[in-house]
Amino acid sequence: MNDKCSKYEGLFVFSDEAVLKQHLQECEECRMEQEKMDRVSELIGEVRPHYLVKSRKRPALKAVCALMLLIFCAFSFELMENYDDMTDTLRYGNTLSAEDLGFPVDSYGLIAVGDG
């Protein structure tokens, strides 16, 4: 019965590079596993520049969003400053009550549901 070598992961993670290289010279299965890992590393190396290009766009996008928010807030504050009737309503709470809107109300000013 041929047992597979299961030392590769332990050596790769926990030992130093010299011990791993020595084991790779002795064990064919671990050498094939190392070749797979090397191919994956090459693929990651190929994709890395494309990923970096995408990640460089994010700070510019965040800056544009922050600028748009700043412009919107400045415009809103300027608009509120120029219209005194709107700012008075927002500041002092001059809003219509349920009675002003035509709903039947009870003695507390709450909307009356029924006289039942």
mmCIF file of all heavy atoms in Angstrom, residues 7-8 11-12 15-28 30-31 34 38:
data_model
loop_
_atom_site.group_PDB
_atom_site.id
_atom_site.type_symbol
_atom_site.label_atom_id
_atom_site.label_comp_id
_atom_site.label_asym_id
_atom_site.label_seq_id
_atom_site.Cartn_x
_atom_site.Cartn_y
_atom_site.Cartn_z
ATOM 1 N N LYS A 7 3.482 15.738 4.611
ATOM 2 C CA LYS A 7 4.356 16.666 5.317
ATOM 3 C C LYS A 7 4.424 18.046 4.665
ATOM 4 O O LYS A 7 4.881 18.988 5.279
ATOM 5 C CB LYS A 7 5.778 16.105 5.386
ATOM 6 C CG LYS A 7 5.917 14.872 6.224
ATOM 7 C CD LYS A 7 7.365 14.434 6.226
ATOM 8 C CE LYS A 7 7.538 13.136 6.988
ATOM 9 N NZ LYS A 7 8.939 12.704 6.965
ATOM 10 N N TYR A 8 3.990 18.169 3.411
ATOM 11 C CA TYR A 8 4.210 19.417 2.673
ATOM 12 C C TYR A 8 3.581 20.616 3.381
ATOM 13 O O TYR A 8 4.236 21.636 3.580
ATOM 14 C CB TYR A 8 3.666 19.317 1.248
ATOM 15 C CG TYR A 8 3.858 20.592 0.469
ATOM 16 C CD1 TYR A 8 5.105 20.930 -0.035
ATOM 17 C CD2 TYR A 8 2.815 21.478 0.260
ATOM 18 C CE1 TYR A 8 5.304 22.101 -0.731
ATOM 19 C CE2 TYR A 8 3.000 22.651 -0.427
ATOM 20 C CZ TYR A 8 4.249 22.959 -0.927
ATOM 21 O OH TYR A 8 4.437 24.127 -1.609
ATOM 22 N N LEU A 11 5.446 21.497 6.624
ATOM 23 C CA LEU A 11 6.766 22.079 6.356
ATOM 24 C C LEU A 11 6.643 23.473 5.740
ATOM 25 O O LEU A 11 7.422 24.370 6.049
ATOM 26 C CB LEU A 11 7.571 21.156 5.432
ATOM 27 C CG LEU A 11 8.036 19.834 6.046
ATOM 28 C CD1 LEU A 11 8.660 18.948 4.971
ATOM 29 C CD2 LEU A 11 9.013 20.092 7.168
ATOM 30 N N PHE A 12 5.656 23.641 4.860
ATOM 31 C CA PHE A 12 5.474 24.939 4.188
ATOM 32 C C PHE A 12 5.097 26.023 5.193
ATOM 33 O O PHE A 12 5.576 27.142 5.118
ATOM 34 C CB PHE A 12 4.402 24.806 3.109
ATOM 35 C CG PHE A 12 4.206 26.045 2.299
ATOM 36 C CD1 PHE A 12 5.076 26.376 1.278
ATOM 37 C CD2 PHE A 12 3.141 26.898 2.551
ATOM 38 C CE1 PHE A 12 4.910 27.506 0.524
ATOM 39 C CE2 PHE A 12 2.956 28.044 1.808
ATOM 40 C CZ PHE A 12 3.846 28.354 0.785
ATOM 41 N N SER A 15 7.995 25.321 9.029
ATOM 42 C CA SER A 15 9.452 25.179 9.032
ATOM 43 C C SER A 15 10.098 26.262 8.173
ATOM 44 O O SER A 15 9.431 27.011 7.469
ATOM 45 C CB SER A 15 9.854 23.793 8.527
ATOM 46 O OG SER A 15 9.593 23.693 7.151
ATOM 47 N N ASP A 16 11.430 26.291 8.233
ATOM 48 C CA ASP A 16 12.140 27.284 7.423
ATOM 49 C C ASP A 16 12.346 26.757 6.004
ATOM 50 O O ASP A 16 12.065 25.606 5.685
ATOM 51 C CB ASP A 16 13.472 27.661 8.080
ATOM 52 C CG ASP A 16 14.395 26.463 8.258
ATOM 53 O OD1 ASP A 16 13.928 25.334 8.061
ATOM 54 O OD2 ASP A 16 15.566 26.676 8.582
ATOM 55 N N GLU A 17 12.849 27.616 5.148
ATOM 56 C CA GLU A 17 12.953 27.297 3.726
ATOM 57 C C GLU A 17 13.981 26.196 3.444
ATOM 58 O O GLU A 17 13.789 25.372 2.541
ATOM 59 C CB GLU A 17 13.320 28.567 2.952
ATOM 60 C CG GLU A 17 13.133 28.435 1.474
ATOM 61 C CD GLU A 17 13.304 29.763 0.755
ATOM 62 O OE1 GLU A 17 13.041 30.812 1.344
ATOM 63 O OE2 GLU A 17 13.702 29.720 -0.412
ATOM 64 N N ALA A 18 15.033 26.133 4.229
ATOM 65 C CA ALA A 18 16.073 25.121 4.001
ATOM 66 C C ALA A 18 15.525 23.718 4.239
ATOM 67 O O ALA A 18 15.792 22.794 3.449
ATOM 68 C CB ALA A 18 17.265 25.391 4.914
ATOM 69 N N VAL A 19 14.741 23.542 5.287
ATOM 70 C CA VAL A 19 14.171 22.224 5.583
ATOM 71 C C VAL A 19 13.178 21.830 4.491
ATOM 72 O O VAL A 19 13.135 20.676 4.054
ATOM 73 C CB VAL A 19 13.490 22.233 6.978
ATOM 74 C CG1 VAL A 19 12.791 20.921 7.247
ATOM 75 C CG2 VAL A 19 14.508 22.530 8.061
ATOM 76 N N LEU A 20 12.389 22.775 4.036
ATOM 77 C CA LEU A 20 11.429 22.500 2.969
ATOM 78 C C LEU A 20 12.142 22.097 1.682
ATOM 79 O O LEU A 20 11.757 21.123 1.027
ATOM 80 C CB LEU A 20 10.538 23.713 2.720
ATOM 81 C CG LEU A 20 9.507 23.576 1.606
ATOM 82 C CD1 LEU A 20 8.500 22.480 1.941
ATOM 83 C CD2 LEU A 20 8.802 24.886 1.358
ATOM 84 N N LYS A 21 13.209 22.813 1.313
ATOM 85 C CA LYS A 21 13.956 22.466 0.097
ATOM 86 C C LYS A 21 14.596 21.082 0.198
ATOM 87 O O LYS A 21 14.598 20.321 -0.773
ATOM 88 C CB LYS A 21 15.033 23.520 -0.177
ATOM 89 C CG LYS A 21 14.485 24.780 -0.760
ATOM 90 C CD LYS A 21 15.594 25.731 -1.124
ATOM 91 C CE LYS A 21 15.022 26.981 -1.735
ATOM 92 N NZ LYS A 21 16.056 27.922 -2.160
ATOM 93 N N GLN A 22 15.087 20.765 1.374
ATOM 94 C CA GLN A 22 15.694 19.443 1.560
ATOM 95 C C GLN A 22 14.629 18.358 1.391
ATOM 96 O O GLN A 22 14.877 17.341 0.741
ATOM 97 C CB GLN A 22 16.337 19.354 2.940
ATOM 98 C CG GLN A 22 16.997 18.023 3.214
ATOM 99 C CD GLN A 22 17.575 17.962 4.609
ATOM 100 O OE1 GLN A 22 17.433 18.904 5.389
ATOM 101 N NE2 GLN A 22 18.227 16.854 4.929
ATOM 102 N N HIS A 23 13.448 18.563 1.944
ATOM 103 C CA HIS A 23 12.378 17.569 1.809
ATOM 104 C C HIS A 23 11.896 17.477 0.361
ATOM 105 O O HIS A 23 11.573 16.394 -0.121
ATOM 106 C CB HIS A 23 11.210 17.910 2.739
ATOM 107 C CG HIS A 23 10.086 16.931 2.653
ATOM 108 N ND1 HIS A 23 10.159 15.670 3.200
ATOM 109 C CD2 HIS A 23 8.865 17.016 2.059
ATOM 110 C CE1 HIS A 23 9.045 15.028 2.962
ATOM 111 N NE2 HIS A 23 8.227 15.825 2.265
ATOM 112 N N LEU A 24 11.856 18.613 -0.351
ATOM 113 C CA LEU A 24 11.420 18.600 -1.747
ATOM 114 C C LEU A 24 12.380 17.796 -2.630
ATOM 115 O O LEU A 24 11.962 17.186 -3.615
ATOM 116 C CB LEU A 24 11.275 20.029 -2.279
ATOM 117 C CG LEU A 24 10.114 20.843 -1.714
ATOM 118 C CD1 LEU A 24 10.145 22.262 -2.247
ATOM 119 C CD2 LEU A 24 8.786 20.185 -2.046
ATOM 120 N N GLN A 25 13.667 17.778 -2.296
ATOM 121 C CA GLN A 25 14.629 16.983 -3.055
ATOM 122 C C GLN A 25 14.404 15.490 -2.863
ATOM 123 O O GLN A 25 14.639 14.692 -3.766
ATOM 124 C CB GLN A 25 16.056 17.346 -2.642
ATOM 125 C CG GLN A 25 16.462 18.717 -3.111
ATOM 126 C CD GLN A 25 17.828 19.111 -2.578
ATOM 127 O OE1 GLN A 25 18.418 18.405 -1.766
ATOM 128 N NE2 GLN A 25 18.322 20.246 -3.037
ATOM 129 N N GLU A 26 13.863 15.118 -1.705
ATOM 130 C CA GLU A 26 13.666 13.708 -1.392
ATOM 131 C C GLU A 26 12.298 13.181 -1.805
ATOM 132 O O GLU A 26 12.166 12.009 -2.136
ATOM 133 C CB GLU A 26 13.851 13.484 0.111
ATOM 134 C CG GLU A 26 15.213 13.849 0.636
ATOM 135 C CD GLU A 26 15.262 13.891 2.146
ATOM 136 O OE1 GLU A 26 14.226 13.618 2.787
ATOM 137 O OE2 GLU A 26 16.330 14.197 2.685
ATOM 138 N N CYS A 27 11.268 14.031 -1.782
ATOM 139 C CA CYS A 27 9.894 13.558 -1.943
ATOM 140 C C CYS A 27 9.282 14.074 -3.256
ATOM 141 O O CYS A 27 9.171 15.287 -3.472
ATOM 142 C CB CYS A 27 9.041 14.026 -0.759
ATOM 143 S SG CYS A 27 7.335 13.484 -0.828
ATOM 144 N N GLU A 28 8.875 13.137 -4.115
ATOM 145 C CA GLU A 28 8.289 13.490 -5.416
ATOM 146 C C GLU A 28 6.904 14.111 -5.272
ATOM 147 O O GLU A 28 6.569 15.068 -5.971
ATOM 148 C CB GLU A 28 8.214 12.231 -6.281
ATOM 149 C CG GLU A 28 7.632 12.456 -7.662
ATOM 150 C CD GLU A 28 8.512 13.325 -8.540
ATOM 151 O OE1 GLU A 28 9.744 13.309 -8.365
ATOM 152 O OE2 GLU A 28 7.962 14.025 -9.407
ATOM 153 N N CYS A 30 5.607 15.863 -2.775
ATOM 154 C CA CYS A 30 5.715 17.231 -2.271
ATOM 155 C C CYS A 30 6.282 18.164 -3.344
ATOM 156 O O CYS A 30 5.917 19.338 -3.408
ATOM 157 C CB CYS A 30 6.571 17.272 -1.010
ATOM 158 S SG CYS A 30 5.807 16.429 0.395
ATOM 159 N N ARG A 31 7.175 17.648 -4.184
ATOM 160 C CA ARG A 31 7.721 18.449 -5.276
ATOM 161 C C ARG A 31 6.616 18.825 -6.262
ATOM 162 O O ARG A 31 6.554 19.953 -6.745
ATOM 163 C CB ARG A 31 8.840 17.664 -5.985
ATOM 164 C CG ARG A 31 9.738 18.544 -6.807
ATOM 165 C CD ARG A 31 10.947 17.797 -7.364
ATOM 166 N NE ARG A 31 11.549 16.870 -6.412
ATOM 167 C CZ ARG A 31 11.768 15.573 -6.658
ATOM 168 N NH1 ARG A 31 11.458 15.058 -7.830
ATOM 169 N NH2 ARG A 31 12.317 14.799 -5.760
ATOM 170 N N GLN A 34 4.601 21.512 -4.706
ATOM 171 C CA GLN A 34 5.320 22.794 -4.784
ATOM 172 C C GLN A 34 5.196 23.406 -6.183
ATOM 173 O O GLN A 34 5.051 24.613 -6.325
ATOM 174 C CB GLN A 34 6.802 22.593 -4.420
ATOM 175 C CG GLN A 34 7.635 23.850 -4.500
ATOM 176 C CD GLN A 34 7.242 24.896 -3.472
ATOM 177 O OE1 GLN A 34 6.799 24.571 -2.392
ATOM 178 N NE2 GLN A 34 7.417 26.154 -3.825
ATOM 179 N N ASP A 38 3.749 27.016 -7.175
ATOM 180 C CA ASP A 38 4.490 27.969 -8.008
ATOM 181 C C ASP A 38 3.637 28.479 -9.164
ATOM 182 O O ASP A 38 3.673 29.671 -9.500
ATOM 183 C CB ASP A 38 5.775 27.325 -8.543
ATOM 184 C CG ASP A 38 6.799 27.089 -7.444
ATOM 185 O OD1 ASP A 38 6.704 27.743 -6.385
ATOM 186 O OD2 ASP A 38 7.690 26.234 -7.645
#
